[in-house]
Amino acid sequence: MRKIPCFSFTRERFLSGFDGKECKVYPHLVDTGENMFLTYQMLLLSGSDVFNDLYVVKSIDGGKTFGEPEKLRRIETKKDGIRRIFAPATEYYSKHRKKWITFGMTISYADDKHPVTENGISTGKAGYILHDEDGHYVGEVKAMELPFKCISACPHGQVIEYENGEFLISFYLVPAGETKAKVLTVRYKYENENLIMVKVGELLDCPESKRGFCEPSVAKLYDKYYVTLRTDEKGMFAVSDDGYKFSEPIAWRWDDGSEIGNYNTMQRWIRYKDALYLAYTRKGAHNDHVFRHRAPMFMARFDEEKMCIVKDTEVILVPELGARLGNFTVTDISENEFRLITAEWMQSLKGKLGECERYGSDNSIWIAKITFE
């Protein structure tokens, strides 16, 4: 058994404020080495998953303070009554290429209620766009090359960058003619300002799940790759020797064998040297009033030998104040420092405005700073 690393953490709330019409969701933190940038997207509360404007906020002191939010150029097209808007899913700064890349999905809307669907699936095309040194978009969204046609495809989760500058990223997608999401890893190289597909993994499928696998995130520890998997019913993960062909999915369990209670939301990794930690939400934390039990935000060590979560290592990174916190990201700042970023999503379990505020939420963005000793 390896020695369990010691760590400490602090947390802060930023950018509080809620007007009852739209709320800040799914924030990311980008560290370019010289400055940090906090991004978030506004969500219209008139329907389900109706994304709107994107904002960027700059910090010149390592994330201690942030300036005023600046609205980014809207990446949107309109044709035949359909609005297509680019929704970021992963912000990544390549230290090898010195490039800030946003990966995401172009989603179509006919109204302000729901995305356009095909075979009951929200349609979306995978793409990416670059940023300049001030965080502004450069050029337009470019399509991401995939090995087959999809109704919907989203590049999602954490990125593994190799020494030669190539990188591995996971997708969740619905192939043409199908109705359930699957997970796929793809390796790309960056050449002449374009991403070129290098190698494609095998599809990870979950026929018994209502909607399949969603919102994966991949990490590497020594010679093994691990990918997190969201299903409606339970959180899961799978293991691979090469990053392309994964094992049968395994439900998240404590070291006593019981399931941890994560379901219908994402999980992400924090890797410190020879240890992996999981960030997640779960049931059983006096949080039945929270939508899908998506708060508080937990972190605990993953035992890769026993393939389980060590219960005694669990801590609450971000407390529960009524709003869901489940759409979150993790940014590596240094070898010893990581930051988890999440926002208080103000749609309540009952779908009523005011429910989240009753417990103390105000659509703040939280940044938890995790430091290993």
Side-chain angles (χ1 to χ4, degrees):
M1 185 77 167
R2 297 190 184 101
K3 181 180 178 182
I4 297 176
C6 295
F7 67 89
S8 60
F9 66 93
T10 58
R11 61 173 82 101
E12 290 188 71
R13 297 174 88 179
F14 296 90
L15 302 175
S16 301
F18 177 55
D19 65 5
K21 297 178 181 179
E22 59 180 357
C23 72
K24 299 179 286 289
V25 296
Y26 210 5
H28 295 75
L29 190 67
V30 178
D31 180 15
T32 66
E34 295 187 5
N35 299 300
M36 285 188 184
F37 296 87
L38 177 66
T39 69
Y40 61 88
Q41 192 155 25
M42 300 305 294
L43 179 87
L44 296 178
L45 299 178
S46 53
S48 175
D49 291 338
V50 184
F51 296 104
N52 203 18
D53 293 316
L54 187 80
Y55 288 80
V56 63
V57 195
K58 185 177 181 179
S59 172
I60 60 174
D61 58 8
K64 295 177 183 177
T65 60
F66 286 89
E68 290 298 313
E70 179 183 356
K71 186 187 294 186
L72 286 180
R73 172 170 57 90
R74 183 187 284 261
I75 306 297
E76 179 184 66
T77 59
K78 293 181 179 179
K79 185 178 180 181
D80 299 328
I82 301 297
R83 177 174 71 107
R84 295 175 176 85
I85 187 167
F86 181 67
T90 296
E91 305 275 16
Y92 183 70
Y93 184 77
S94 168
K95 293 180 174 62
H96 186 91
R97 296 292 180 185
K98 307 298 182 185
K99 297 285 186 181
W100 174 359
I101 310 172
T102 291
F103 302 98
M105 182 167 64
T106 300
I107 307 173
S108 299
Y109 299 95
D111 54 32
D112 287 339
K113 297 295 183 183
H114 303 282
V116 173
T117 62
E118 180 181 333
N119 294 342
I121 304 298
S122 298
T123 60
K125 295 183 178 180
Y128 66 99
I129 190 168
L130 300 180
H131 296 250
D132 64 20
E133 61 184 9
D134 292 318
H136 302 134
Y137 287 136
V138 177
E140 300 300 324
V141 173
K142 296 182 180 181
M144 293 189 75
E145 188 181 7
L146 286 169
F148 44 76
K149 292 184 178 180
C150 299
I151 296 173
S152 175
C154 183
H156 188 276
Q158 291 153 288
V159 177
I160 295 174
E161 187 167 10
Y162 298 97
E163 291 183 359
N164 65 358
E166 296 178 358
F167 62 86
L168 188 74
I169 189 169
S170 51
F171 286 77
Y172 66 102
L173 44 80
V174 180
E178 300 190 26
T179 58
K180 290 186 178 182
K182 297 174 171 61
V183 160
L184 181 74
T185 53
V186 183
R187 185 163 175 159
Y188 292 91
K189 63 180 178 180
Y190 191 81
E191 190 174 277
N192 299 323
E193 302 297 315
N194 293 299
L195 295 182
I196 309 296
M197 188 167 58
V198 174
K199 188 171 182 178
V200 179
E202 297 182 2
L203 284 170
L204 255 174
D205 193 8
C206 189
E208 64 271 22
S209 176
K210 181 179 179 181
R211 291 188 295 172
F213 285 138
C214 297
E215 297 179 339
S217 196
V218 66
K220 186 174 187 288
L221 183 65
Y222 293 115
D223 58 349
K224 297 287 185 181
Y225 293 79
Y226 302 88
V227 64
T228 63
L229 303 163
R230 166 186 168 178
T231 75
D232 286 8
E233 299 78 18
K234 63 184 68 176
M236 308 179 80
F237 71 100
V239 188
S240 172
D241 291 328
D242 59 7
Y244 304 105
K245 183 177 181 180
F246 284 85
S247 68
E248 286 294 315
I250 304 165
W252 285 114
R253 295 184 181 275
W254 298 118
D255 41 350
D256 66 5
S258 61
E259 293 190 4
I260 71 171
N262 171 273
Y263 73 102
N264 213 352
T265 195
M266 65 180 69
Q267 318 106 50
R268 290 185 183 265
W269 300 106
I270 296 167
R271 179 187 170 178
Y272 170 67
K273 295 186 178 179
D274 62 351
L276 276 176
Y277 286 75
L278 188 72
Y280 57 95
T281 58
R282 64 171 176 83
K283 301 177 184 177
H286 305 290
N287 55 351
D288 288 349
H289 57 285
V290 179
F291 181 81
R292 292 177 180 166
H293 299 87
R294 288 185 180 177
M297 182 62 59
F298 295 98
M299 169 180 152
R301 192 177 71 83
F302 171 59
D303 187 329
E304 76 278 6
E305 295 177 356
K306 297 181 180 179
M307 307 282 272
C308 64
I309 300 298
V310 182
K311 195 167 188 176
D312 286 348
T313 66
E314 184 182 69
V315 296
I316 294 176
L317 291 179
V318 182
E320 177 270 303
L321 296 176
R324 68 183 90 167
L325 302 170
N327 287 55
F328 67 102
T329 56
V330 172
T331 299
D332 298 5
I333 304 300
S334 69
E335 183 183 60
N336 299 321
E337 182 184 327
F338 307 84
R339 299 194 189 183
L340 181 144
I341 310 95
T342 189
E344 295 171 346
W345 190 312
M346 300 303 287
Q347 286 175 314
S348 70
L349 179 67
K350 298 178 181 179
K352 297 179 180 179
L353 291 176
E355 285 295 307
C356 295
E357 296 97 312
R358 185 159 69 91
Y359 296 92
S361 291
D362 59 10
N363 199 208
S364 294
I365 290 176
W366 288 83
I367 300 180
K369 178 182 176 181
I370 304 147
T371 306
F372 287 87
E373 300 170 3

